[in-house]
Amino acid sequence: MDTVRIVKIGGNIIDDPQALDDFLVNFSKLQGPKVLVHGGGKLASKLALQMGVEVQMTHGRRITDLPSLEIVTMVYAGQINKTIIAKLQANQCNAVGFSGADGNAVVAVQRPVKTIDFGYVGDVKKVDLKVPELLLGHGITPVFCAITHNEEGQLLNTNADTIASELALAFSKNYKTALYYCFDKKGVLRDKDDENSVIRKITAATFKELVDAKYIVDGMIPKLENCFYALENGVQKIEIGLPSMIFEPETIHTILEN
Amino acid sequence: MDTVRIVKIGGNIIDDPQALDDFLVNFSKLQGPKVLVHGGGKLASKLALQMGVEVQMTHGRRITDLPSLEIVTMVYAGQINKTIIAKLQANQCNAVGFSGADGNAVVAVQRPVKTIDFGYVGDVKKVDLKVPELLLGHGITPVFCAITHNEEGQLLNTNADTIASELALAFSKNYKTALYYCFDKKGVLRDKDDENSVIRKITAATFKELVDAKYIVDGMIPKLENCFYALENGVQKIEIGLPSMIFEPETIHTILEN
């Protein structure tokens, strides 16, 4: 059974044309089945500003109203996804772009209103890998943006990290699955101001200790909770760090273990 | 051998949410392999205006500069394509969106500068149906927007009518192929001001006569030349008219015959 590698990239790569080119050259050379998931970077906010669409906030949280949904759909599924696909093709990596609507691959439910109405934000409900697996079987790489749909004709904005982990979970039913979260640090840091404080290995047990000791804080907590959930449910390997961790495995980074 | 139906829709459907919904309900019910190609409608011009991007003209012809290319990529491959895909899924029609970069399906060359520099406009050079045929073989409908690429990482803006006829030509190598151009008239009109003057049948021979007699003028001439080229080269059937010509074949419309 082949290992499917699911690689998630975010703003630090997408917003920097040279970094994106370099990443895609290396990604294209990766052997074996692979899937790319990309976030949105700063382009959507830039476009909103240019269009005079205000970022709507409520209780300090960003919400996705209809104009914002149209912007992220245009930017994520259009500009960024197609730019990546064209560059992969130029590197002889045959690829097909996906939103969650394409092939009905990622179905979400609009987040129910409790105290906050997040607008057109979707929480993943179901992943159908029929089309992505068909393509992987023919050596073609699926590239996912963070737009999903609700099977009733409504597109939804979904967190790209979550899409990556949900895809990894779904793939783990038929494949060995490795998930790589690329970001702008060498890994999970014990001290956020010290790039050399990378925690090389985190297990479910040490994760709790690191949270209790406040070494791991804020947005990194739900992100890692998500990761351990995926590891408990079939994903073989999750690694976090700079993209070089994938292409040069000796690069210092964080490895999560169940 | 199944007949693949390639249906091209333009602004009169895309710009009207009710017309688009109605069309997609009917399109979803069509049995057999089918492909949808969509143009851009007015949304790109609206976005350009909103963003303060001026439409660049030269010698009275519109050119696609870099900001315009980004706009059409966002609108065609993002907003319009994903809206269509989500609506098809809601109608139980499993579909996957394509630009020409996806699956390397439609490769174009940037139009060479003779007297006019059209900017990032691509003329189709090569069609590769590997991925679309793979999907059709599994009952999945490819939906193409009018963005192509040059295999060197550059996206290009390409005429949607041309993409439809190039796809039809390429499909005709392995399938019987029928091509439907939906537009806002009942068919090719003998008198453009008289909706009841539909020319029911045009052959290669009568086409020349109709042009000589100036019944067919302006943009309809290259459009039909394109169609007769496709008919001469393997496409079985081309029909032009309102979308109802597809779903209710007795609807008055124009049938082209070689």
Side-chain angles (χ1 to χ4, degrees), chain A residues 117-128:
Chain A
D117 181 356
F118 286 96
Y120 295 97
V121 166
D123 295 317
V124 176
K125 180 175 117 185
K126 185 175 85 178
V127 174
D128 182 342

Side-chain angles (χ1 to χ4, degrees), chain A residues 82 89 94-95 97 101-104 138, chain B residues 82 89 94-95 97 101-104:
Chain A
K82 297 318 162 199
Q89 296 292 359
N94 199 353
D102 298 279
N104 206 22
H138 285 78
Chain B
K82 297 318 161 197
Q89 297 292 359
N94 199 353
D102 297 280
N104 206 22

Side-chain angles (χ1 to χ4, degrees), chain B residues 46-212:
Chain B
K46 205 177 128 197
L47 180 60
L49 195 69
Q50 214 175 341
M51 289 174 67
V53 170
E54 269 184 62
V55 173
Q56 298 288 322
M57 305 286 283
T58 179
H59 301 78
R61 306 280 293 269
R62 181 188 286 229
I63 66 162
T64 304
D65 57 5
L66 199 57
S68 303
L69 177 70
E70 288 178 0
I71 287 172
V72 295
T73 303
M74 292 195 294
V75 171
Y76 301 174
Q79 181 64 14
I80 297 174
N81 192 269
K82 297 318 161 197
T83 296
I84 289 174
I85 299 289
K87 285 175 185 289
L88 288 174
Q89 297 292 359
N91 290 309
Q92 283 75 51
C93 174
N94 199 353
V96 170
F98 278 82
S99 71
D102 297 280
N104 206 22
V106 187
V107 177
V109 283
Q110 190 166 344
R111 188 170 298 167
V113 179
K114 288 176 188 162
T115 50
I116 302 176
D117 181 355
F118 286 96
Y120 295 98
V121 166
D123 295 317
V124 176
K125 181 175 114 183
K126 186 175 84 178
V127 174
D128 182 343
L129 294 179
K130 178 185 169 179
V131 181
E133 288 189 357
L134 186 64
L135 297 179
L136 284 176
H138 286 77
I140 297 157
T141 297
V143 178
F144 281 85
C145 68
I147 302 292
T148 57
H149 78 134
N150 69 352
E151 288 190 307
E152 290 166 10
Q154 182 61 58
L155 295 166
L156 294 166
N157 185 13
T158 294
N159 181 278
D161 284 351
T162 307
I163 289 186
S165 71
E166 292 283 350
L167 286 170
L169 275 169
F171 273 112
S172 69
K173 286 171 194 157
N174 292 325
Y175 300 84
K176 287 185 190 167
T177 305
L179 174 57
Y180 300 87
Y181 282 110
C182 302
F183 74 148
D184 57 353
K185 308 280 185 198
K186 288 182 183 170
V188 181
L189 302 179
R190 190 177 287 270
D191 170 0
K192 71 177 172 47
D193 299 320
D194 180 4
E195 266 286 328
N196 293 318
S197 69
V198 174
I199 309 170
R200 302 286 290 268
K201 188 184 289 186
I202 306 177
T203 65
T206 62
F207 173 53
K208 285 194 182 64
E209 295 168 17
L210 287 160
V211 171
D212 288 345

Side-chain angles (χ1 to χ4, degrees), chain A residues 108-177:
Chain A
V109 283
Q110 190 167 343
R111 188 171 298 168
V113 179
K114 290 177 187 163
T115 51
I116 303 176
D117 181 356
F118 286 96
Y120 295 97
V121 166
D123 295 317
V124 176
K125 180 175 117 185
K126 185 175 85 178
V127 174
D128 182 342
L129 293 179
K130 177 184 169 181
V131 181
E133 288 189 358
L134 187 64
L135 297 179
L136 284 176
H138 285 78
I140 297 157
T141 297
V143 178
F144 281 84
C145 67
I147 301 293
T148 58
H149 78 133
N150 70 351
E151 289 189 307
E152 291 166 10
Q154 181 62 56
L155 296 166
L156 294 166
N157 184 14
T158 294
N159 180 278
D161 284 351
T162 307
I163 290 186
S165 71
E166 292 283 352
L167 286 171
L169 275 168
F171 272 113
S172 69
K173 287 171 192 155
N174 293 325
Y175 300 84
K176 286 186 191 168
T177 306

